Amino acid sequence: MSSITLIGTGNMARTIGTLAVAGGNTVEVMGRDQSKADALAKALGGGATTGTWGAIPAGDIVITALLYDGVVPVVAEYADALAGKVIVDISNPFNATFDGLAHSEETSIAQEVAKVAPASASVVKAFNTIFRNVLQKGRPNV
Ligand SMILES: NC(=O)c1ccc[n+]([C@@H]2O[C@H](COP(=O)([O-])OP(=O)(O)OC[C@H]3O[C@@H](n4cnc5c(N)ncnc54)[C@H](OP(=O)(O)O)[C@@H]3O)[C@@H](O)[C@H]2O)c1
């Protein structure tokens, strides 16, 4: 069993949170809109809790379920609150016309996260190539 904090309260937070609860993991939800975090934690059930935005997450694994342009600023805002955590970036940094990246090909959002995260944190890229509707089926055969 793992302890997981979801930062974000949207579609992917709900989908990953649902799977995490079903897998018997401890889940905490953090959102910049506390009412959305409370509502998602309640919907997830399984003892899911809410944390305070910007505070030290309860989870050892912290999933940034945010739109790509919010990921680096939010990790920078959390700063030392993420010390020692495994930070999972799930974002897809598409440009406005969805035909390329929103940043140069010399970097990635995960690399940029690693630059602003505490040195003791580990940054992982995951989930970004799996559509929510596929992921929510459980164990996609991909
Ligand atoms: N949907 C998919 O099938 C899918 C699959 C793989 C990966 N992804 C990636 O997963 C990430 C989340 O996608 P989603 O479908 O869950 O999006 P979503 O439903 O729009 O949810 C986005 C979440 O990010 C929060 N947010 C956005 N900008 C923020 C900022 N600057 N600071 C703090 N919070 C911010 C939103 O908060 P508010 O509600 O307060 O605005 C919301 O909780 C995206 O990067 C996407 O590329 C999506």
Side-chain angles (χ1 to χ4, degrees):
M1 190 177 86
S2 299
S3 57
I4 299 168
T5 292
L6 299 160
I7 299 182
T9 56
N11 294 314
M12 285 298 280
R14 181 175 296 268
T15 299
I16 294 171
T18 299
L19 292 172
V21 167
N25 301 287
T26 301
V27 175
E28 177 189 55
V29 182
M30 289 176 159
R32 62 180 174 181
D33 182 331
Q34 188 67 37
S35 66
K36 289 184 181 179
D38 291 341
L40 178 55
K42 187 176 178 186
L44 292 177
T49 59
T50 48
T52 302
W53 183 260
I56 297 175
D60 296 326
I61 299 170
V62 178
I63 301 176
T64 53
L66 305 167
L67 300 183
Y68 81 87
D69 56 353
V71 179
V72 171
V74 166
V75 170
E77 180 183 346
Y78 270 73
D80 288 344
L82 296 176
K85 305 294 186 184
V86 175
I87 302 169
V88 183
D89 162 41
I90 69 169
S91 68
N92 286 307
F94 294 126
N95 63 17
T97 49
F98 292 98
D99 59 359
L101 294 171
H103 53 67
S104 82
E105 295 187 1
E106 310 305 316
T107 190
S108 69
I109 297 295
Q111 282 177 286
E112 297 306 309
V113 166
K115 288 178 188 172
V116 298
S120 58
S122 303
V123 180
V124 177
K125 188 81 186 186
F127 295 110
N128 60 306
T129 58
I130 304 177
F131 283 118
R132 174 179 59 94
N133 59 322
V134 176
L135 185 61
Q136 69 188 7
K137 290 178 181 169
R139 289 183 176 271
N141 185 21
V142 293

